[in-house]
Amino acid sequence: YLSAPEVITCCIRALSHENPLVRIGAAKSLGRLGTGAGEEHLLKALEREDDPAVISEVIAALGKVSDSSRIPVLMKFLQHVDLRVQANAIESLAAIGTVEVIPAIEPFLRSSDNRVKANAAVACWVGGSLDVVHNLRDMLDNPNQKQRSSAIYAIGEVGTSLSKLANVPRYL
């Protein structure tokens, strides 16, 4: 087996691989390791990357290993043309952000994309906004199956957030 530092080193090298699937795997792995050891390398990869699938995974990884000092970096990707990048930026901002990110995320509650809208609802809920219940109800009533599925996902995430006692006072 490889030690944690060896795995991190391999992942960091893989962020520069010519194959985007390898870069995606490297970013996912660094995020799953959950340490800040690869954070600077993820940020550098984000600067040079042009593949939206890789960008979205790097953003997701940053949401797992970064702190609120990275909010400005992630905020830039809310306006990205790729909807998966937008959705992952919202999710990462919710994971590392504070209530200050909510005004930037709220407009995405009106997105036509199911994943973007669901992630925005979860992010706003985690930030203390109860109003998203109406958005989730509308998504559940939507004839589009993807909207309904994303609403169910978001409701599960809301339930998970409530199970964390640290979040409970926000809703009382």
Side-chain angles (χ1 to χ4, degrees):
Y1 294 104
L2 296 173
S3 68
E6 291 172 313
V7 171
I8 291 169
T9 300
C10 287
C11 290
I12 290 168
R13 272 198 315 267
L15 286 173
S16 299
H17 196 278
E18 64 184 42
N19 185 332
L21 295 176
V22 173
R23 297 193 306 272
I24 288 169
K28 280 185 181 183
S29 296
L30 287 169
R32 287 183 181 146
L33 288 170
T35 70
E39 182 182 15
E40 290 300 323
H41 296 279
L42 287 166
L43 290 166
K44 287 177 186 169
L46 203 52
E47 290 174 8
R48 68 177 179 264
E49 189 60 59
D50 59 357
D51 185 313
V54 179
I55 292 169
S56 67
E57 289 303 331
V58 171
I59 288 170
L62 283 170
K64 295 174 182 167
V65 301
S66 297
D67 60 26
S68 60
S69 69
R70 302 304 183 195
I71 290 173
V73 172
L74 295 170
M75 292 282 268
K76 295 177 192 173
F77 291 93
L78 290 175
Q79 302 306 321
H80 197 277
V81 295
D82 186 87
L83 296 173
R84 178 166 290 280
V85 171
Q86 285 182 14
N88 284 7
I90 291 167
E91 189 171 50
S92 290
L93 284 166
I96 67 169
T98 58
V99 293
E100 289 83 30
V101 302
I102 300 306
I105 292 173
E106 283 178 328
F108 294 93
L109 291 169
R110 295 183 292 281
S111 174
S112 60
D113 183 76
N114 58 295
R115 188 161 183 259
V116 170
K117 188 185 292 189
N119 284 3
V122 172
C124 290
W125 175 270
V126 169
S129 173
L130 298 176
D131 293 338
V132 299
V133 171
H134 303 293
N135 298 86
L136 293 173
R137 185 193 62 227
D138 292 345
M139 288 177 75
L140 284 171
D141 290 340
N142 194 299
N144 183 305
Q145 192 267 334
K146 287 183 178 181
Q147 290 285 332
R148 294 191 308 271
S149 293
S150 291
I152 291 167
Y153 159 80
I155 291 167
E157 293 298 307
V158 164
T160 299
S161 78
L162 289 174
S163 69
K164 298 175 184 171
L165 293 178
N167 288 335
V168 172
R170 292 182 181 175
Y171 306 99
L172 299 177

